[in-house]
Amino acid sequence: MKTTVPRTGTRRRQRGIATLEFALILLFGLLPLLLVMYSGVMIMAVQQTLSAASAEGARAAFRHATPTERRTAACLAARRSMQWLLTYAKQTPSCTTPGAAPINVSAPAPCADLPSAQCISVQVSYDYRTHPFLPGTGRVYGWVMRTPLRSTAVSQLDLGGN
């Protein structure tokens, strides 16, 4: 009578191949997907921060008296709201000249829809291509985001009795 020997060695080698395939799929499939999702979430956080910063700047411009005070207050409020972005990008915008990027505060001018009133526009921006959160994603997202991320808010000024 002939006895058969179980082939446990072949099964054990197949188990090793499955582990190797899982590791490769994780490394080349799942990890890049998670990194792209992370950078996408961070881009959304940047856009939300920019929206809040421009709105805070517009609110601050509403509260002060002279045009220079209004522009400086708007710039300072926007800078406070987006401080984490400025720190990450190693930018220190000066609010003594509030017309330069990444925080641009316009001089009081007639409003677009109501020329008899004065408005101040606060525009903030962040260039993701220059300062990506994950190295290399600036180029990956470059074909989608050709210009810096921006947000603009406009405040109609209370001129006190005019």
Side-chain angles (χ1 to χ4, degrees), residues 54-79:
S54 63
E56 285 298 317
R59 275 189 217 101
F62 181 74
R63 295 185 220 138
H64 296 277
T66 69
T68 304
E69 288 175 345
R70 290 175 191 267
R71 291 182 78 192
T72 302
C75 180
L76 290 171
R79 188 170 72 183

Side-chain angles (χ1 to χ4, degrees), residues 54 58 61 71 74 98 104-109 119-123 151-155:
S54 63
R71 291 182 78 192
N104 186 358
V105 181
S106 71
C119 288
I120 283 184
S121 173
V122 179
Q123 183 181 52
S151 180
T152 303
V154 177
S155 178

Side-chain angles (χ1 to χ4, degrees), residues 16-97:
I17 294 296
T19 303
L20 180 64
E21 288 172 354
F22 176 76
L24 289 174
I25 287 173
L26 180 69
L27 183 64
F28 295 114
L30 189 60
L31 196 58
L33 179 65
L34 291 174
L35 292 175
V36 168
M37 285 177 48
Y38 168 76
S39 59
V41 167
M42 290 304 294
I43 290 170
M44 287 179 17
V46 168
Q47 189 61 54
Q48 191 65 25
T49 298
L50 294 176
S51 295
S54 63
E56 285 298 317
R59 275 189 217 101
F62 181 74
R63 295 185 220 138
H64 296 277
T66 69
T68 304
E69 288 175 345
R70 290 175 191 267
R71 291 182 78 192
T72 302
C75 180
L76 290 171
R79 188 170 72 183
R80 273 191 306 273
S81 291
M82 60 184 286
Q83 188 59 51
W84 74 273
L85 279 176
L86 296 171
T87 302
Y88 180 78
K90 297 181 177 100
Q91 293 177 320
T92 53
S94 171
C95 287
T96 56
T97 56

Side-chain angles (χ1 to χ4, degrees), residues 147-160:
T147 61
L149 298 167
R150 294 178 207 259
S151 180
T152 303
V154 177
S155 178
Q156 182 177 335
L157 303 178
D158 180 14
L159 299 175

